[in-house]
Amino acid sequence: MGAQKTSLALRLAGLALIALGLAACSDEGEPMETVSYVDLERFSGDWYVVAGIVTSMEEKAYNPVETYEVAGPGRINTTFTFNKGAFDGKQKTFKPKGFIRNSDTNAEWGMQFFPLVKLDYRIIYLNDEYETTVIGRQKRDLVWIMARTPSIDEAEYAQIVSMLDEVGYDTSKIRQMPHEATSGQG
C-alpha cells in the first residue's frame, strides 16, 4: 500500500513538473492568430491526434485521442487517452479541464492539468466541416494536428504543415502519431 502511494506521488510530481515547465514558457512570443469562431457543440467529441510537436508524456503514445465535452459556460471537460509504448500498451487516461479564455471566439482556452496551472491552448485551424483542427500555443513549442479520423488527406496535411511553418513553428519537429488504422503511414 505504501509503495503504491509513493509511486502515485512520484507520477503526480512528474506530471506537475511537465505542466509547470510548459506553463513557464507558455505566454511568450508574438500573439498567435486563432480561428475566428468555434462552435463548441460541433467541436465536442473525439479527435484523433494525427501529428504534432508533442509533450514528453506523448512521445511514446499510440492511438492518442482527445475528447471534448461542453461542461457549462466557459468550461470544457477533456479526456486524453493513449496506449503507452505500443498499440497494445497500457491505456493511459488524463482528464484536464478546459477553460474558455476568449468567449467571443471560443478559440483561446486554458487547459488545466493541476490546480493553478492553465496551459495556453489555441485553436489555430479548423476546417469548415469540423473534421480537422490544429491546436497551437503562443510559444510555438507544441502543436497538435487532430482529426475525426486516424488520418487526414495528404494535401490537407501538407497545407497544415505549410501554415505552421508560416506562423513560426519548426516543422522539422512534427511527427506523425501512430494509430492502428494508419500504422503503415507514419
Side-chain angles (χ1 to χ4, degrees):
M1 190 72 165
Q4 289 178 334
K5 285 183 179 178
T6 301
S7 177
L8 177 61
L10 289 173
R11 287 189 301 194
L12 290 175
L15 290 172
L17 288 173
I18 291 169
L20 289 173
L22 292 173
C25 58
S26 66
D27 293 326
E28 299 174 13
E30 293 294 318
M32 179 177 286
E33 189 172 329
T34 65
V35 298
S36 60
Y37 181 76
V38 177
D39 179 331
L40 295 175
E41 292 296 335
R42 287 186 70 194
F43 195 76
S44 293
D46 294 341
W47 290 94
Y48 292 86
V49 181
V50 174
I53 302 172
V54 298
T55 66
S56 59
M57 176 182 75
E58 299 167 277
E59 288 179 357
K60 294 182 180 179
Y62 285 70
N63 302 318
V65 176
E66 185 120 318
T67 303
Y68 303 114
E69 176 186 16
V70 176
R75 296 179 316 138
I76 307 294
N77 285 337
T78 304
T79 303
F80 178 59
T81 62
F82 62 90
N83 296 93
K84 186 176 180 181
F87 290 120
D88 62 351
K90 183 177 180 180
Q91 187 173 56
K92 298 288 189 177
T93 301
F94 296 91
K95 294 184 177 270
K97 300 288 184 196
F99 296 89
I100 305 298
R101 288 183 168 164
N102 181 337
S103 59
D104 292 335
T105 67
N106 292 331
E108 294 177 39
W109 299 9
M111 192 61 77
Q112 186 173 33
F113 285 84
F114 301 98
L116 306 176
V117 179
K118 291 182 183 172
L119 304 179
D120 180 43
Y121 186 98
R122 296 166 186 260
I123 301 168
I124 61 174
Y125 174 85
L126 180 62
N127 70 3
D128 292 340
E129 297 79 22
Y130 281 65
E131 293 178 351
T132 308
T133 191
V134 177
I135 309 302
R137 289 169 36 90
Q138 187 169 320
K139 177 69 176 171
R140 293 157 175 86
D141 55 347
L142 301 170
V143 67
W144 297 269
I145 301 169
M146 303 193 299
R148 299 293 190 181
T149 58
S151 64
I152 61 174
D153 176 77
E154 287 183 26
E156 185 176 24
Y157 181 79
Q159 177 187 3
I160 289 170
V161 171
S162 177
M163 181 265 302
L164 291 172
D165 183 57
E166 290 174 13
V167 300
Y169 275 97
D170 179 355
T171 57
S172 69
K173 295 180 178 178
I174 295 174
R175 64 184 275 272
Q176 294 192 0
M177 304 299 288
H179 287 274
E180 285 186 302
T182 60
S183 62
Q185 296 178 2

